[in-house]
Amino acid sequence: MPDSNGLLREMQSEMRILGIETSCDETGVAIFDSEKGLLAHKLYSQVKMHAEYGGVVPELASRDHVRKIIPLLDAVMKSAKSELKDIDGIAYTAGPGLVGALMVGASVGQSIGYALGVPTIGVHHMEGHLLAPMLEKNPPDFPFVALLVSGGHTQLVKVEKFGSYELMGDSLDDAVGEAFDKTAKLLGLGYPGGAALAKLAENGKSGRYIFPRPMVNRPGLDFSFSGIKTFAANTVYSNSGDSQTKADIALGFEEAIVDTLAIKVKRALKASGYKTLVVAGGVSANQSLRKKLKALSKEEKVKVFFPRQEFCTDNGAMIAYVGCQRLLRGEKSNLGIKVIPRWSIEDIVEA
Ligand code: KG4
Ligand code: ZN
């Protein structure tokens, strides 16, 4: 039930929300207006800093968020031609993610909210990804099946309406983005290598390396990618490291991942009876996956939606959007600075 302030806000025709994302290695800030849409967004990626270590170093991530968040906030305000006094609420990523990194966004968000006397809301990072296509001109309608593919998650979610998320399938081991990153590392592509692996695969010859399609012969909607990753390691070590071989391995790997995801998506659509598919998270930027799922949706007479390329990966816009929807419904966080590093999408409270 919305409180009296919430009811008041529900009657408010326009809400301008500042969104802050700091769950991992990207600082994202955005302003979303319930009437005018996305006004501005900025992102600072720490990727170069972590690449030196071959993965995200949590303590370095927290410190860099501290350094970048205020300058980024100033830049977003300027770009939106907004001032802090125009802000009606603050949304920040409360989880899941790295605890120290999350604490930076939560502290800044809560402090600004307190100073301005506006409500704040902690947002679930994956709900942000899942609803990122809502920022596009032609957004999906509820209900839909969502395929969430990121560095930490591979999930199929039945989304009946805003705030109602039923997990249909999940990764039993490595997430799909993680499998991309580890295989990219084996191929000498640096970190995070998902996009670089996809680029290398463009030069690959199909059929030279046939990777397994894990768990597709078993019923159910869960995923396991650690076998593909091991197969990639064995293939890399037992072949010469020339550039054509590497490209062929990259393509074999990508084809297996894309096929496996498509098979499970088809099953999830059948099981739900829904006619709309949403694909989101960092790996939804992958062009082969997009092509395959577009073809599948045509065959199955289903509509498919993706976020624009830059909103596939982490960003502040998706957090501002979700926060705005929840604040409009009268939800808000308490004053304390609380984050939830491990948080299932099924445990999001229905708005
Ligand atoms: O959603 P995201 O930015 O962060 C998490 O919440 O995890 O996803 C990052 C993941 C990384 O594993 C990255 O390698 C992968 O998305 N990724 C891609 C592509 N672009 C990013 N994987 C495959 N193909 C791409 N084009
Ligand atoms: Zn993410």
Side-chain angles (χ1 to χ4, degrees):
M1 273 296 285
D3 57 20
S4 56
N5 284 335
L7 281 173
L8 266 180
R9 271 197 303 282
E10 252 176 327
M11 289 186 285
Q12 205 172 315
S13 63
E14 190 172 346
M15 257 195 133
R16 191 166 287 195
I17 306 303
L18 173 69
I20 300 173
E21 155 63 35
T22 64
S23 68
C24 190
D25 58 350
E26 252 121 25
T27 321
V29 180
I31 300 177
F32 181 83
D33 185 289
S34 57
E35 296 295 305
K36 301 189 178 81
L38 188 63
L39 298 185
H41 64 96
K42 299 264 177 211
L43 188 83
Y44 176 79
S45 173
Q46 306 175 350
V47 154
K48 268 202 190 120
M49 178 179 72
H50 297 295
E52 215 180 296
Y53 303 90
V56 178
V57 184
E59 181 59 24
L60 293 183
S62 315
R63 287 165 190 253
D64 216 36
H65 285 306
V66 171
R67 272 193 288 271
K68 297 294 169 5
I69 195 162
I70 302 298
L72 216 53
L73 193 92
D74 285 339
V76 162
M77 285 292 169
K78 230 187 214 158
S79 162
K81 296 186 178 62
S82 275
E83 292 177 41
L84 276 177
K85 67 170 174 43
D86 305 324
I87 298 297
D88 302 306
I90 319 267
Y92 57 88
T93 304
L98 302 170
V99 64
L102 290 167
M103 283 299 284
V104 178
S107 314
V108 170
Q110 287 287 41
S111 309
I112 299 175
Y114 182 69
L116 296 177
V118 298
T120 58
I121 183 94
V123 169
H124 192 290
H125 181 78
M126 297 312 290
E127 186 181 28
H129 275 305
L130 195 146
L131 295 176
M134 296 296 186
L135 291 160
E136 302 308 320
K137 270 202 193 88
N138 174 26
D141 287 324
F142 296 107
F144 55 77
V145 168
L147 173 68
L148 291 180
V149 275
S150 74
H153 293 82
T154 313
Q155 296 182 325
L156 280 160
V157 188
K158 191 173 170 183
V159 185
E160 193 206 328
K161 56 181 183 190
F162 179 89
S164 161
Y165 309 113
E166 187 191 316
L167 211 48
M168 304 178 82
D170 204 349
S171 49
L172 300 178
D173 40 54
D174 290 17
V176 65
E178 202 178 343
F180 262 101
D181 292 341
K182 287 179 178 167
T183 305
K185 204 171 183 174
L186 284 168
L187 292 167
L189 297 174
Y191 178 87
L197 188 150
K199 192 146 183 27
L200 181 63
E202 285 172 14
N203 303 322
K205 272 200 292 288
S206 185
R208 184 163 167 210
Y209 298 105
I210 311 286
F211 279 62
R213 271 66 173 156
M215 297 179 65
V216 294
N217 297 322
R218 270 190 254 166
L221 296 167
D222 288 335
F223 303 93
S224 165
F225 291 112
S226 67
I228 291 193
K229 188 191 65 192
T230 309
F231 190 89
N234 292 337
T235 312
V236 170
Y237 294 139
S238 58
N239 280 282
S240 66
D242 66 280
S243 56
Q244 188 58 53
T245 299
K246 282 184 173 176
D248 295 344
I249 294 173
L251 182 61
F253 167 84
E254 188 181 51
E255 284 174 341
I257 296 269
V258 167
D259 272 1
T260 307
L261 291 173
I263 289 166
K264 298 287 165 86
V265 163
K266 190 172 168 178
R267 267 186 215 167
L269 286 166
K270 283 233 160 76
S272 68
Y274 291 172
K275 291 288 169 201
T276 304
L277 171 68
V278 161
V279 190
V283 183
S284 69
N286 186 280
Q287 291 305 326
S288 303
L289 179 65
R290 286 183 175 230
K291 212 169 142 194
K292 180 90 180 179
L293 293 179
K294 277 181 195 161
L296 173 84
S297 66
K298 221 172 179 183
E299 276 165 37
E300 299 295 314
K301 299 189 172 50
V302 161
K303 282 188 188 165
V304 63
F305 296 83
F306 303 89
R308 75 188 77 163
Q309 205 76 11
E310 66 183 320
F311 292 161
C312 289
T313 42
D314 292 350
N315 63 85
M318 64 188 194
I319 303 303
Y321 174 82
V322 172
C324 185
Q325 304 314 308
R326 290 189 169 270
L327 288 164
L328 280 171
R329 286 165 167 79
E331 252 190 86
K332 61 176 176 175
S333 296
N334 296 324
L335 255 188
I337 295 166
K338 188 180 157 225
V339 296
I340 317 170
R342 291 180 75 84
W343 185 8
S344 164
I345 198 163
E346 285 198 306
D347 296 334
I348 296 178
V349 181
E350 221 170 277

